Amino acid sequence: MIQWIIPLGFVLAGLLAGIIGEKVIFTKLKVFVANKRIPGSEIIFQSLHRMTFIWFLLAGFFWAILSSPIQPNITYVLQKILTVVLLYSVTLVLARLTAGFVNLFVRRTEGVSTSLVSNLAKAAVLVLGTLILLQTVGIEVTPIVTTLGIGGLAVGLALQDTLANLFSGFYLIISKQVRTGDYIKLDDGYQGYVTDITWRNTTIKEISNNVIIVPNSKLASSIFTNYHLPAKEITLTMNVGVGYDSDLELVEKVTVEVAKEVMREIAPELIANEPYMRFHTFNDCSIDFTLYMRVSEFFDQRIGKHLFVKKLHKRFQREGIQIPFPIRDIYVHES
């Protein structure tokens, strides 16, 4: 039993070092780096979470195996197992780092979905790491890759819908026809903000806070309107009618002033694009015109119309301008 004391000591030392490293050193270093606000530090520490403990423990087991009185062939097998665990943990850290930094980069690119790109990058690192791991432990990788290539044809035929959605998702992202944050309206009437594009479907959040799930292949082949392309800013139009006895010059002046007042409240950055109006119809009981006013995005039309109607109605009353309601004269002929 005395000959097992040293190996057991190495295991306990690795366990203790792992606990101290994870709970004390790692935590204090994380707080220090967070205070310094070093770019990318949060991603690095999230990737290394629990790994310091595992690596210290593996080191303890490694030295325990070397100092133990077990047979050489068993020692070789145990070392191979430790190598596999170490390489897999390193692969996992690299996959986390890749996904994290891809996420960080994609977030800076306006409108690109993070989940699809980061998950693909993470999967690529994991596959590559697994192949390197197999090659390291002496397993020939070439036959495996060949088998996967042949089997991939059968899998591709069986997963046609899934692959169609996957490639449609890439097409939507690369073509930038739809981006996260865009407000779109589908040809079947559904509309809302695009919140995410995953490997299988696109998530659309309605104004009512409901969520619509649309398969990527269906979205890529459907007719839809993107209200954020080519720019988020859109033109709000309002149809109004005034009485025939109105001073049209005064009507135009007052309407434009009210529209500017509304723009200063909801879209001050667009005030350089002055609102304007155009008379266009001699109607039965009114002279009709349309006001054109820029707002920041599609959803701002609601508050824009709300404010414009309130303010214009109040201003027309003050200026003595009437918005006529339909009047119909009925003549009764007596026989």
Side-chain angles (χ1 to χ4, degrees), residues 122 265 293 299 304:
K122 186 175 182 179
E265 289 189 29
M293 176 176 62
F299 187 66

Side-chain angles (χ1 to χ4, degrees), residues 83-151:
T83 302
V84 169
V85 175
L86 177 62
L87 288 177
Y88 183 77
S89 65
V90 173
T91 302
L92 190 59
V93 170
L94 293 176
R96 290 175 179 176
L97 285 171
T98 303
F101 282 108
V102 167
N103 240 338
L104 184 64
F105 173 76
V106 169
R107 284 175 184 171
R108 294 177 179 176
T109 306
E110 183 181 359
V112 179
S113 174
T114 58
S115 60
L116 180 59
V117 180
S118 63
N119 288 336
L120 179 67
K122 186 175 182 179
V125 173
L126 286 174
V127 171
L128 182 61
T130 302
L131 293 177
I132 295 173
L133 189 152
L134 294 174
Q135 186 74 36
T136 304
V137 297
I139 300 175
E140 192 63 35
V141 176
T142 306
I144 297 176
V145 174
T146 305
T147 304
L148 289 176
I150 297 173

Side-chain angles (χ1 to χ4, degrees), residues 6-11 13-14 55-69 75 79 82:
I6 294 177
L8 184 60
F10 277 121
V11 173
W55 290 340
F56 275 116
L57 189 60
L58 288 175
F61 274 109
F62 179 79
W63 288 107
I65 292 171
L66 291 180
S67 60
S68 64
T75 300
Q79 286 179 345
L82 291 180

Side-chain angles (χ1 to χ4, degrees), residues 38-59:
I38 299 176
S41 59
E42 185 179 351
I43 297 172
I44 295 174
F45 281 104
Q46 286 179 351
S47 302
L48 293 174
H49 182 62
R50 302 295 186 194
M51 290 302 168
T52 51
F53 173 77
I54 294 174
W55 290 340
F56 275 116
L57 189 60
L58 288 175

Side-chain angles (χ1 to χ4, degrees), residues 3-4 21 31 33 59 70 88 102 130 135 141 170 178 182-183 196 206 210 220 240 250 292 302 316 326:
Q3 59 187 352
W4 289 99
V31 173
V33 173
I70 57 179
Y88 183 77
V102 167
T130 302
Q135 186 74 36
V141 176
F170 280 118
V178 178
D182 286 356
Y183 191 94
D196 197 9
E206 292 183 307
N210 296 324
V240 188
L250 178 62
Y292 302 91
R302 297 191 176 193
F316 274 7

